[in-house]
Amino acid sequence: MALLVKHMLGLEQVEREDIETILDTAASLQEISYRPVKKVPTLRGKTQVNLFFEPSTRTRTSFEIAGKRLSADVVNFTASASSLSKGETLADTARNLWAMRPDILVVRHSAAGAPHLLAKLLDTPIINAGDGAHEHPTQALLDMFTVREKKRKLSGLKVVIAGDIAHSRVARSNIYGFSKMGAEVWVVGPPTLIPPGIERMGARVSYRLEEAIPDADVIMMLRIQLERGAGSLFPSLREYAIRFGLNPARMRLCKPDVLVMHPGPINRGVEISPEVADGPYSVILDQVEAGVAVRMALLYLLCAGAEHEDTDQGRT
Ligand code: ASP
C-alpha cells in the first residue's frame, strides 16, 4: 500500500483518497499502543530524522514515539544544538544530514515552504511538522481521525475553527482537509485575525461565536499566536476572552453531542475556559492519542512508497 504523494508537505496538494488511506492505516495501527510490548518491526533498519527548528512539545514527542513503535532508529535534531547557530544554511544542514542516508525526514521550521525546499533538494520522503503560518498537515490528519472515530463520518459535519486564523497553520491544514472530506468549515474570530480571501480556501466566515456554534458538530479552538505578532491585532487578551473565549455559557448554546477540540498548547482562560477544556465535550487528549497512530501511519506509508520507487528503478 502506498500514497499518491511521495512527501507530506501540506493537505492542499493531497487527494481525498490519500487522506482516507492514512486514516484507515492509522485506525489499524492504533491498537499497537495498547499492547504490553508497544513495538512492531515494520520500520526496522530505517532511520528517521526529526529536524525541529522551532519549539515543539507534542509533535516532536509524538513523531519520536511513532517511529520507535515501528522500530525505526529515531534521531532528534534541534536547531539550538546544531550548526545553524554557527551560520550554516538550511540547505547545507539538510545536504549534510542526507549524506548520512536517512530514510525519512520530519521537519518543523518557522519559514513557510522550508519542507518544500528540502523536498526539492533531497531524495528522501519529507513530512512537514509545521512550517511557519502555512500548514501543519499531521495535526489536521489527527484532528480528522479523532472526529471520524467519534462521529463515524466526516462528510456533512459542520466544523467551526475559532481564534487566530491568520497565523494558524493548523487552521489552514484543517480547512483543506475537512473540506476535501465533505465537511462544512466555518472560521470565527475578530476581523483582524481572519485573513482576507479565506473563503477561497473553502471556509465560511463569521465574527461571532454565537452565530457559528449552535449547530456545530465540532468546535476547534486556537491559541493567539503571540510569537507571530498577533498581540497587536486586538485590544487585550481579557477583552478577547470575553468576546471569543469558549466558556460554559457559550457551551449551553451548542448541540449536546458537539466535540470541543484544541491542538495545544492551551492558553486556559483566554480562548478556552478550564471548565470547557477539561469538560465532557472535550476530546483534546483523544487528539494527542490519535497523533501517535496517524504519524505511525504516515511514516509507514511514506517509507513503503519510497521502497517501491527504489524497487521500480532497480536499485534494491
Ligand atoms: N501546536 C500547534 C502548532 O504548532 C498550534 C499552536 O502552536 O498553537 O501550530
Side-chain angles (χ1 to χ4, degrees), residues 54-59 108 129-133 135-136 139 167-171 221-225 227-228 262-267 271:
E54 248 196 353
S56 171
T57 312
R58 271 158 298 274
T59 306
R108 167 167 290 192
D131 62 328
E135 280 225 40
H136 192 350
Q139 177 70 45
H167 300 97
S168 176
R169 52 197 179 199
V170 174
M221 299 309 293
L222 301 175
R223 162 183 85 89
I224 302 286
Q225 306 249 333
E227 76 277 25
R228 299 192 210 282
H262 196 305
I266 292 174
N267 287 165
E271 73 276 6

PDB file of all heavy atoms in Angstrom, residues 54-59 108 129-133 135-136 139 167-171 221-225 227-228 262-267 271, ligand 1:
ATOM      1  N   GLU A  54      11.973  24.883  15.323  1.00  0.00           N
ATOM      2  CA  GLU A  54      11.047  25.694  16.121  1.00  0.00           C
ATOM      3  C   GLU A  54      10.642  24.842  17.312  1.00  0.00           C
ATOM      4  O   GLU A  54      10.613  23.619  17.211  1.00  0.00           O
ATOM      5  CB  GLU A  54       9.755  25.941  15.307  1.00  0.00           C
ATOM      6  CG  GLU A  54       9.519  27.335  14.875  1.00  0.00           C
ATOM      7  CD  GLU A  54       8.063  27.551  14.429  1.00  0.00           C
ATOM      8  OE1 GLU A  54       7.277  26.589  14.326  1.00  0.00           O
ATOM      9  OE2 GLU A  54       7.734  28.713  14.194  1.00  0.00           O
ATOM     10  N   PRO A  55      10.275  25.488  18.450  1.00  0.00           N
ATOM     11  CA  PRO A  55       9.894  24.691  19.622  1.00  0.00           C
ATOM     12  C   PRO A  55       8.701  23.773  19.357  1.00  0.00           C
ATOM     13  O   PRO A  55       7.849  24.090  18.521  1.00  0.00           O
ATOM     14  CB  PRO A  55       9.515  25.741  20.674  1.00  0.00           C
ATOM     15  CG  PRO A  55      10.044  27.037  20.174  1.00  0.00           C
ATOM     16  CD  PRO A  55      10.184  26.928  18.695  1.00  0.00           C
ATOM     17  N   SER A  56       8.668  22.665  20.057  1.00  0.00           N
ATOM     18  CA  SER A  56       7.565  21.714  19.916  1.00  0.00           C
ATOM     19  C   SER A  56       7.533  20.814  21.144  1.00  0.00           C
ATOM     20  O   SER A  56       8.583  20.417  21.640  1.00  0.00           O
ATOM     21  CB  SER A  56       7.781  20.863  18.672  1.00  0.00           C
ATOM     22  OG  SER A  56       6.851  19.809  18.637  1.00  0.00           O
ATOM     23  N   THR A  57       6.346  20.510  21.622  1.00  0.00           N
ATOM     24  CA  THR A  57       6.230  19.558  22.728  1.00  0.00           C
ATOM     25  C   THR A  57       5.565  18.298  22.188  1.00  0.00           C
ATOM     26  O   THR A  57       6.202  17.257  22.028  1.00  0.00           O
ATOM     27  CB  THR A  57       5.339  20.141  23.860  1.00  0.00           C
ATOM     28  OG1 THR A  57       5.787  21.464  24.121  1.00  0.00           O
ATOM     29  CG2 THR A  57       5.406  19.311  25.113  1.00  0.00           C
ATOM     30  N   ARG A  58       4.277  18.417  21.862  1.00  0.00           N
ATOM     31  CA  ARG A  58       3.502  17.267  21.413  1.00  0.00           C
ATOM     32  C   ARG A  58       4.028  16.666  20.112  1.00  0.00           C
ATOM     33  O   ARG A  58       4.217  15.463  19.997  1.00  0.00           O
ATOM     34  CB  ARG A  58       2.043  17.667  21.160  1.00  0.00           C
ATOM     35  CG  ARG A  58       1.126  17.560  22.315  1.00  0.00           C
ATOM     36  CD  ARG A  58      -0.059  18.468  22.077  1.00  0.00           C
ATOM     37  NE  ARG A  58       0.433  19.840  21.988  1.00  0.00           N
ATOM     38  CZ  ARG A  58       0.612  20.615  23.045  1.00  0.00           C
ATOM     39  NH1 ARG A  58       0.282  20.194  24.232  1.00  0.00           N
ATOM     40  NH2 ARG A  58       1.110  21.827  22.922  1.00  0.00           N
ATOM     41  N   THR A  59       4.239  17.522  19.111  1.00  0.00           N
ATOM     42  CA  THR A  59       4.514  16.998  17.772  1.00  0.00           C
ATOM     43  C   THR A  59       5.833  16.219  17.733  1.00  0.00           C
ATOM     44  O   THR A  59       5.903  15.119  17.201  1.00  0.00           O
ATOM     45  CB  THR A  59       4.521  18.147  16.740  1.00  0.00           C
ATOM     46  OG1 THR A  59       3.297  18.861  16.868  1.00  0.00           O
ATOM     47  CG2 THR A  59       4.659  17.626  15.321  1.00  0.00           C
ATOM     48  N   ARG A 108      10.189  20.674  11.099  1.00  0.00           N
ATOM     49  CA  ARG A 108       9.411  21.844  11.562  1.00  0.00           C
ATOM     50  C   ARG A 108      10.315  23.070  11.416  1.00  0.00           C
ATOM     51  O   ARG A 108      11.475  23.045  11.815  1.00  0.00           O
ATOM     52  CB  ARG A 108       8.990  21.692  13.021  1.00  0.00           C
ATOM     53  CG  ARG A 108       8.476  23.020  13.579  1.00  0.00           C
ATOM     54  CD  ARG A 108       7.763  22.886  14.889  1.00  0.00           C
ATOM     55  NE  ARG A 108       6.491  22.218  14.736  1.00  0.00           N
ATOM     56  CZ  ARG A 108       5.563  22.177  15.688  1.00  0.00           C
ATOM     57  NH1 ARG A 108       5.769  22.766  16.852  1.00  0.00           N
ATOM     58  NH2 ARG A 108       4.422  21.555  15.485  1.00  0.00           N
ATOM     59  N   ALA A 129       6.189  19.055   9.682  1.00  0.00           N
ATOM     60  CA  ALA A 129       5.655  19.041  11.057  1.00  0.00           C
ATOM     61  C   ALA A 129       5.286  20.462  11.487  1.00  0.00           C
ATOM     62  O   ALA A 129       5.248  20.758  12.681  1.00  0.00           O
ATOM     63  CB  ALA A 129       6.686  18.436  11.997  1.00  0.00           C
ATOM     64  N   GLY A 130       4.993  21.326  10.508  1.00  0.00           N
ATOM     65  CA  GLY A 130       4.615  22.714  10.783  1.00  0.00           C
ATOM     66  C   GLY A 130       5.609  23.662  10.152  1.00  0.00           C
ATOM     67  O   GLY A 130       6.780  23.660  10.528  1.00  0.00           O
ATOM     68  N   ASP A 131       5.169  24.435   9.132  1.00  0.00           N
ATOM     69  CA  ASP A 131       6.071  25.428   8.509  1.00  0.00           C
ATOM     70  C   ASP A 131       5.457  26.824   8.638  1.00  0.00           C
ATOM     71  O   ASP A 131       4.543  27.187   7.920  1.00  0.00           O
ATOM     72  CB  ASP A 131       6.409  25.065   7.055  1.00  0.00           C
ATOM     73  CG  ASP A 131       5.220  25.020   6.106  1.00  0.00           C
ATOM     74  OD1 ASP A 131       4.103  24.669   6.542  1.00  0.00           O
ATOM     75  OD2 ASP A 131       5.406  25.363   4.918  1.00  0.00           O
ATOM     76  N   GLY A 132       5.988  27.588   9.580  1.00  0.00           N
ATOM     77  CA  GLY A 132       5.503  28.947   9.821  1.00  0.00           C
ATOM     78  C   GLY A 132       4.001  28.949  10.012  1.00  0.00           C
ATOM     79  O   GLY A 132       3.441  28.095  10.704  1.00  0.00           O
ATOM     80  N   ALA A 133       3.337  29.917   9.365  1.00  0.00           N
ATOM     81  CA  ALA A 133       1.878  30.002   9.470  1.00  0.00           C
ATOM     82  C   ALA A 133       1.219  29.283   8.295  1.00  0.00           C
ATOM     83  O   ALA A 133       0.037  29.488   8.030  1.00  0.00           O
ATOM     84  CB  ALA A 133       1.451  31.462   9.508  1.00  0.00           C
ATOM     85  N   GLU A 135       1.259  25.452   6.886  1.00  0.00           N
ATOM     86  CA  GLU A 135       0.477  24.203   7.070  1.00  0.00           C
ATOM     87  C   GLU A 135       1.047  23.349   8.204  1.00  0.00           C
ATOM     88  O   GLU A 135       2.243  23.435   8.533  1.00  0.00           O
ATOM     89  CB  GLU A 135       0.461  23.383   5.772  1.00  0.00           C
ATOM     90  CG  GLU A 135      -0.562  23.875   4.745  1.00  0.00           C
ATOM     91  CD  GLU A 135      -1.358  22.731   4.107  1.00  0.00           C
ATOM     92  OE1 GLU A 135      -1.744  21.775   4.818  1.00  0.00           O
ATOM     93  OE2 GLU A 135      -1.589  22.807   2.895  1.00  0.00           O
ATOM     94  N   HIS A 136       0.203  22.525   8.760  1.00  0.00           N
ATOM     95  CA  HIS A 136       0.600  21.545   9.779  1.00  0.00           C
ATOM     96  C   HIS A 136      -0.244  20.297   9.482  1.00  0.00           C
ATOM     97  O   HIS A 136      -1.183  19.967  10.201  1.00  0.00           O
ATOM     98  CB  HIS A 136       0.281  22.118  11.163  1.00  0.00           C
ATOM     99  CG  HIS A 136       0.876  21.361  12.311  1.00  0.00           C
ATOM    100  ND1 HIS A 136       1.478  20.123  12.179  1.00  0.00           N
ATOM    101  CD2 HIS A 136       0.962  21.671  13.633  1.00  0.00           C
ATOM    102  CE1 HIS A 136       1.894  19.717  13.364  1.00  0.00           C
ATOM    103  NE2 HIS A 136       1.602  20.635  14.254  1.00  0.00           N
ATOM    104  N   GLN A 139      -1.242  17.532  12.073  1.00  0.00           N
ATOM    105  CA  GLN A 139      -2.237  17.957  13.080  1.00  0.00           C
ATOM    106  C   GLN A 139      -3.639  17.814  12.497  1.00  0.00           C
ATOM    107  O   GLN A 139      -4.550  17.284  13.144  1.00  0.00           O
ATOM    108  CB  GLN A 139      -1.975  19.410  13.497  1.00  0.00           C
ATOM    109  CG  GLN A 139      -3.001  19.950  14.490  1.00  0.00           C
ATOM    110  CD  GLN A 139      -2.900  19.326  15.878  1.00  0.00           C
ATOM    111  OE1 GLN A 139      -1.810  19.189  16.416  1.00  0.00           O
ATOM    112  NE2 GLN A 139      -4.033  18.940  16.459  1.00  0.00           N
ATOM    113  N   HIS A 167      -2.736  33.475  11.738  1.00  0.00           N
ATOM    114  CA  HIS A 167      -1.384  32.965  11.953  1.00  0.00           C
ATOM    115  C   HIS A 167      -1.367  31.449  12.148  1.00  0.00           C
ATOM    116  O   HIS A 167      -0.349  30.904  12.572  1.00  0.00           O
ATOM    117  CB  HIS A 167      -0.769  33.633  13.182  1.00  0.00           C
ATOM    118  CG  HIS A 167      -0.677  35.122  13.040  1.00  0.00           C
ATOM    119  ND1 HIS A 167      -1.611  35.986  13.559  1.00  0.00           N
ATOM    120  CD2 HIS A 167       0.227  35.887  12.384  1.00  0.00           C
ATOM    121  CE1 HIS A 167      -1.274  37.231  13.252  1.00  0.00           C
ATOM    122  NE2 HIS A 167      -0.172  37.202  12.531  1.00  0.00           N
ATOM    123  N   SER A 168      -2.486  30.786  11.880  1.00  0.00           N
ATOM    124  CA  SER A 168      -2.569  29.371  12.251  1.00  0.00           C
ATOM    125  C   SER A 168      -2.382  28.403  11.077  1.00  0.00           C
ATOM    126  O   SER A 168      -3.232  28.287  10.200  1.00  0.00           O
ATOM    127  CB  SER A 168      -3.915  29.077  12.920  1.00  0.00           C
ATOM    128  OG  SER A 168      -4.004  27.700  13.185  1.00  0.00           O
ATOM    129  N   ARG A 169      -1.291  27.660  11.139  1.00  0.00           N
ATOM    130  CA  ARG A 169      -1.072  26.584  10.161  1.00  0.00           C
ATOM    131  C   ARG A 169      -2.060  25.445  10.402  1.00  0.00           C
ATOM    132  O   ARG A 169      -2.422  24.718   9.478  1.00  0.00           O
ATOM    133  CB  ARG A 169       0.371  26.088  10.258  1.00  0.00           C
ATOM    134  CG  ARG A 169       0.805  25.718  11.673  1.00  0.00           C
ATOM    135  CD  ARG A 169       2.311  25.646  11.756  1.00  0.00           C
ATOM    136  NE  ARG A 169       2.816  25.315  13.072  1.00  0.00           N
ATOM    137  CZ  ARG A 169       4.064  25.551  13.450  1.00  0.00           C
ATOM    138  NH1 ARG A 169       4.919  26.119  12.621  1.00  0.00           N
ATOM    139  NH2 ARG A 169       4.498  25.208  14.639  1.00  0.00           N
ATOM    140  N   VAL A 170      -2.501  25.297  11.654  1.00  0.00           N
ATOM    141  CA  VAL A 170      -3.481  24.251  11.975  1.00  0.00           C
ATOM    142  C   VAL A 170      -4.806  24.569  11.272  1.00  0.00           C
ATOM    143  O   VAL A 170      -5.450  23.688  10.685  1.00  0.00           O
ATOM    144  CB  VAL A 170      -3.684  24.155  13.505  1.00  0.00           C
ATOM    145  CG1 VAL A 170      -4.805  23.173  13.845  1.00  0.00           C
ATOM    146  CG2 VAL A 170      -2.389  23.753  14.197  1.00  0.00           C
ATOM    147  N   ALA A 171      -5.203  25.852  11.305  1.00  0.00           N
ATOM    148  CA  ALA A 171      -6.458  26.237  10.647  1.00  0.00           C
ATOM    149  C   ALA A 171      -6.383  25.947   9.156  1.00  0.00           C
ATOM    150  O   ALA A 171      -7.287  25.336   8.577  1.00  0.00           O
ATOM    151  CB  ALA A 171      -6.743  27.719  10.886  1.00  0.00           C
ATOM    152  N   MET A 221     -10.839  25.205  18.936  1.00  0.00           N
ATOM    153  CA  MET A 221     -10.364  26.498  19.439  1.00  0.00           C
ATOM    154  C   MET A 221      -8.863  26.607  19.205  1.00  0.00           C
ATOM    155  O   MET A 221      -8.116  25.640  19.408  1.00  0.00           O
ATOM    156  CB  MET A 221     -10.666  26.624  20.935  1.00  0.00           C
ATOM    157  CG  MET A 221     -12.138  26.558  21.285  1.00  0.00           C
ATOM    158  SD  MET A 221     -13.184  27.704  20.328  1.00  0.00           S
ATOM    159  CE  MET A 221     -12.621  29.293  20.925  1.00  0.00           C
ATOM    160  N   LEU A 222      -8.420  27.802  18.783  1.00  0.00           N
ATOM    161  CA  LEU A 222      -6.993  28.020  18.523  1.00  0.00           C
ATOM    162  C   LEU A 222      -6.462  29.102  19.442  1.00  0.00           C
ATOM    163  O   LEU A 222      -7.160  30.055  19.770  1.00  0.00           O
ATOM    164  CB  LEU A 222      -6.782  28.448  17.069  1.00  0.00           C
ATOM    165  CG  LEU A 222      -7.261  27.470  15.997  1.00  0.00           C
ATOM    166  CD1 LEU A 222      -7.083  28.093  14.620  1.00  0.00           C
ATOM    167  CD2 LEU A 222      -6.505  26.149  16.084  1.00  0.00           C
ATOM    168  N   ARG A 223      -5.207  28.971  19.762  1.00  0.00           N
ATOM    169  CA  ARG A 223      -4.496  29.934  20.607  1.00  0.00           C
ATOM    170  C   ARG A 223      -4.149  31.177  19.790  1.00  0.00           C
ATOM    171  O   ARG A 223      -3.984  31.103  18.567  1.00  0.00           O
ATOM    172  CB  ARG A 223      -3.241  29.179  21.052  1.00  0.00           C
ATOM    173  CG  ARG A 223      -2.111  29.886  21.578  1.00  0.00           C
ATOM    174  CD  ARG A 223      -1.002  28.855  21.864  1.00  0.00           C
ATOM    175  NE  ARG A 223      -0.207  28.571  20.663  1.00  0.00           N
ATOM    176  CZ  ARG A 223       0.877  29.255  20.299  1.00  0.00           C
ATOM    177  NH1 ARG A 223       1.306  30.256  21.031  1.00  0.00           N
ATOM    178  NH2 ARG A 223       1.552  28.928  19.206  1.00  0.00           N
ATOM    179  N   ILE A 224      -3.995  32.314  20.496  1.00  0.00           N
ATOM    180  CA  ILE A 224      -3.476  33.523  19.851  1.00  0.00           C
ATOM    181  C   ILE A 224      -1.963  33.345  19.703  1.00  0.00           C
ATOM    182  O   ILE A 224      -1.267  33.089  20.679  1.00  0.00           O
ATOM    183  CB  ILE A 224      -3.733  34.770  20.738  1.00  0.00           C
ATOM    184  CG1 ILE A 224      -5.224  34.947  21.022  1.00  0.00           C
ATOM    185  CG2 ILE A 224      -3.124  36.008  20.115  1.00  0.00           C
ATOM    186  CD1 ILE A 224      -6.009  35.438  19.863  1.00  0.00           C
ATOM    187  N   GLN A 225      -1.455  33.469  18.482  1.00  0.00           N
ATOM    188  CA  GLN A 225      -0.028  33.206  18.231  1.00  0.00           C
ATOM    189  C   GLN A 225       0.779  34.486  18.500  1.00  0.00           C
ATOM    190  O   GLN A 225       1.172  35.200  17.570  1.00  0.00           O
ATOM    191  CB  GLN A 225       0.156  32.731  16.793  1.00  0.00           C
ATOM    192  CG  GLN A 225      -0.728  31.547  16.441  1.00  0.00           C
ATOM    193  CD  GLN A 225       0.040  30.268  16.218  1.00  0.00           C
ATOM    194  OE1 GLN A 225       1.204  30.272  15.840  1.00  0.00           O
ATOM    195  NE2 GLN A 225      -0.612  29.152  16.448  1.00  0.00           N
ATOM    196  N   GLU A 227       3.734  34.859  19.369  1.00  0.00           N
ATOM    197  CA  GLU A 227       5.088  34.838  18.804  1.00  0.00           C
ATOM    198  C   GLU A 227       5.105  35.210  17.319  1.00  0.00           C
ATOM    199  O   GLU A 227       6.159  35.467  16.744  1.00  0.00           O
ATOM    200  CB  GLU A 227       5.759  33.474  19.037  1.00  0.00           C
ATOM    201  CG  GLU A 227       5.314  32.317  18.151  1.00  0.00           C
ATOM    202  CD  GLU A 227       4.034  31.613  18.632  1.00  0.00           C
ATOM    203  OE1 GLU A 227       3.212  32.238  19.334  1.00  0.00           O
ATOM    204  OE2 GLU A 227       3.862  30.433  18.263  1.00  0.00           O
ATOM    205  N   ARG A 228       3.927  35.199  16.663  1.00  0.00           N
ATOM    206  CA  ARG A 228       3.875  35.623  15.258  1.00  0.00           C
ATOM    207  C   ARG A 228       3.246  37.017  15.129  1.00  0.00           C
ATOM    208  O   ARG A 228       2.715  37.396  14.087  1.00  0.00           O
ATOM    209  CB  ARG A 228       3.114  34.600  14.409  1.00  0.00           C
ATOM    210  CG  ARG A 228       3.760  33.215  14.408  1.00  0.00           C
ATOM    211  CD  ARG A 228       3.196  32.273  13.368  1.00  0.00           C
ATOM    212  NE  ARG A 228       3.277  30.888  13.803  1.00  0.00           N
ATOM    213  CZ  ARG A 228       4.383  30.142  13.774  1.00  0.00           C
ATOM    214  NH1 ARG A 228       5.498  30.633  13.306  1.00  0.00           N
ATOM    215  NH2 ARG A 228       4.363  28.895  14.214  1.00  0.00           N
ATOM    216  N   HIS A 262      -8.779  21.172  20.510  1.00  0.00           N
ATOM    217  CA  HIS A 262      -7.732  22.204  20.611  1.00  0.00           C
ATOM    218  C   HIS A 262      -6.407  21.505  20.273  1.00  0.00           C
ATOM    219  O   HIS A 262      -6.135  20.444  20.832  1.00  0.00           O
ATOM    220  CB  HIS A 262      -7.709  22.786  22.033  1.00  0.00           C
ATOM    221  CG  HIS A 262      -6.955  24.082  22.137  1.00  0.00           C
ATOM    222  ND1 HIS A 262      -5.643  24.224  21.718  1.00  0.00           N
ATOM    223  CD2 HIS A 262      -7.317  25.298  22.602  1.00  0.00           C
ATOM    224  CE1 HIS A 262      -5.257  25.481  21.930  1.00  0.00           C
ATOM    225  NE2 HIS A 262      -6.249  26.152  22.453  1.00  0.00           N
ATOM    226  N   PRO A 263      -5.590  22.107  19.392  1.00  0.00           N
ATOM    227  CA  PRO A 263      -4.329  21.439  19.055  1.00  0.00           C
ATOM    228  C   PRO A 263      -3.268  21.574  20.136  1.00  0.00           C
ATOM    229  O   PRO A 263      -2.245  20.886  20.095  1.00  0.00           O
ATOM    230  CB  PRO A 263      -3.873  22.171  17.784  1.00  0.00           C
ATOM    231  CG  PRO A 263      -4.469  23.545  17.908  1.00  0.00           C
ATOM    232  CD  PRO A 263      -5.781  23.350  18.633  1.00  0.00           C
ATOM    233  N   GLY A 264      -3.497  22.468  21.129  1.00  0.00           N
ATOM    234  CA  GLY A 264      -2.488  22.741  22.139  1.00  0.00           C
ATOM    235  C   GLY A 264      -1.357  23.572  21.532  1.00  0.00           C
ATOM    236  O   GLY A 264      -1.182  23.566  20.319  1.00  0.00           O
ATOM    237  N   PRO A 265      -0.601  24.302  22.295  1.00  0.00           N
ATOM    238  CA  PRO A 265      -0.789  24.470  23.733  1.00  0.00           C
ATOM    239  C   PRO A 265      -1.985  25.367  24.049  1.00  0.00           C
ATOM    240  O   PRO A 265      -2.225  26.333  23.348  1.00  0.00           O
ATOM    241  CB  PRO A 265       0.528  25.125  24.180  1.00  0.00           C
ATOM    242  CG  PRO A 265       1.088  25.791  22.960  1.00  0.00           C
ATOM    243  CD  PRO A 265       0.594  25.024  21.776  1.00  0.00           C
ATOM    244  N   ILE A 266      -2.706  25.000  25.114  1.00  0.00           N
ATOM    245  CA  ILE A 266      -3.901  25.755  25.512  1.00  0.00           C
ATOM    246  C   ILE A 266      -3.489  26.976  26.329  1.00  0.00           C
ATOM    247  O   ILE A 266      -2.599  26.878  27.169  1.00  0.00           O
ATOM    248  CB  ILE A 266      -4.789  24.850  26.405  1.00  0.00           C
ATOM    249  CG1 ILE A 266      -5.365  23.699  25.591  1.00  0.00           C
ATOM    250  CG2 ILE A 266      -5.906  25.633  27.065  1.00  0.00           C
ATOM    251  CD1 ILE A 266      -6.112  22.704  26.450  1.00  0.00           C
ATOM    252  N   ASN A 267      -4.115  28.090  26.073  1.00  0.00           N
ATOM    253  CA  ASN A 267      -3.986  29.226  26.996  1.00  0.00           C
ATOM    254  C   ASN A 267      -5.288  29.281  27.781  1.00  0.00           C
ATOM    255  O   ASN A 267      -6.272  29.891  27.347  1.00  0.00           O
ATOM    256  CB  ASN A 267      -3.732  30.528  26.236  1.00  0.00           C
ATOM    257  CG  ASN A 267      -2.304  30.604  25.661  1.00  0.00           C
ATOM    258  OD1 ASN A 267      -2.010  31.415  24.814  1.00  0.00           O
ATOM    259  ND2 ASN A 267      -1.416  29.747  26.129  1.00  0.00           N
ATOM    260  N   GLU A 271      -8.622  31.578  25.136  1.00  0.00           N
ATOM    261  CA  GLU A 271      -9.526  31.080  24.083  1.00  0.00           C
ATOM    262  C   GLU A 271     -10.472  29.987  24.588  1.00  0.00           C
ATOM    263  O   GLU A 271     -11.481  29.695  23.952  1.00  0.00           O
ATOM    264  CB  GLU A 271      -8.734  30.596  22.854  1.00  0.00           C
ATOM    265  CG  GLU A 271      -7.985  29.280  23.020  1.00  0.00           C
ATOM    266  CD  GLU A 271      -6.633  29.444  23.674  1.00  0.00           C
ATOM    267  OE1 GLU A 271      -6.327  30.559  24.110  1.00  0.00           O
ATOM    268  OE2 GLU A 271      -5.882  28.444  23.748  1.00  0.00           O
TER     269      GLU A 271
HETATM  270  N1  ASP B   1       0.833  23.253  18.188  1.00  0.00           N
HETATM  271  C1  ASP B   1       0.218  23.916  17.059  1.00  0.00           C
HETATM  272  C2  ASP B   1       1.273  24.379  16.071  1.00  0.00           C
HETATM  273  O1  ASP B   1       2.419  24.009  16.185  1.00  0.00           O
HETATM  274  C3  ASP B   1      -0.707  25.004  17.461  1.00  0.00           C
HETATM  275  C4  ASP B   1      -0.116  26.152  18.217  1.00  0.00           C
HETATM  276  O2  ASP B   1       1.096  26.249  18.400  1.00  0.00           O
HETATM  277  O3  ASP B   1      -0.919  26.984  18.646  1.00  0.00           O
HETATM  278  O4  ASP B   1       0.933  25.094  15.155  1.00  0.00           O
END
